[in-house]
Amino acid sequence: MAPITTDALDRLRRRYEELGEVIDELTDTIARSSTATESVLEPELIRARKELASLVERLKTLSGESSS
């Protein structure tokens, strides 16, 4: 595996922060929305959460932390 650069880690960390903001916004919007709007936004929230979990695992792996 190629060594990870500081730039790559910074990009992952920025994406992590962005996803956190997106998840917060989607959660707030869903809380105030109708059922129809919720059915549209919920899949986006699920995708964002999955990507965030993947980023967390990638950052842990790159930093040498165990995922357990």
Side-chain angles (χ1 to χ4, degrees), residues 4-67:
I4 191 76
T5 64
T6 303
D7 258 359
L9 279 174
D10 288 344
R11 281 194 306 275
L12 288 172
R13 287 183 184 117
R14 276 194 302 276
R15 184 63 182 148
Y16 174 86
E17 291 171 7
E18 290 169 359
L19 282 170
E21 291 172 8
V22 166
I23 289 169
D24 287 345
E25 289 174 18
L26 284 169
T27 303
D28 289 345
T29 301
I30 288 171
R32 296 186 313 263
S33 68
S34 67
T35 304
T37 303
E38 182 177 336
S39 67
V40 171
L41 295 178
E42 193 166 1
E44 291 300 319
L45 180 59
I46 291 167
R47 273 192 287 279
R49 285 180 173 159
K50 285 180 181 178
E51 185 179 348
L52 184 63
S54 175
L55 275 171
V56 167
E57 287 304 312
R58 178 89 171 124
L59 286 168
K60 283 181 179 180
T61 299
L62 293 173
S63 67
E65 292 181 24
S66 170
S67 62

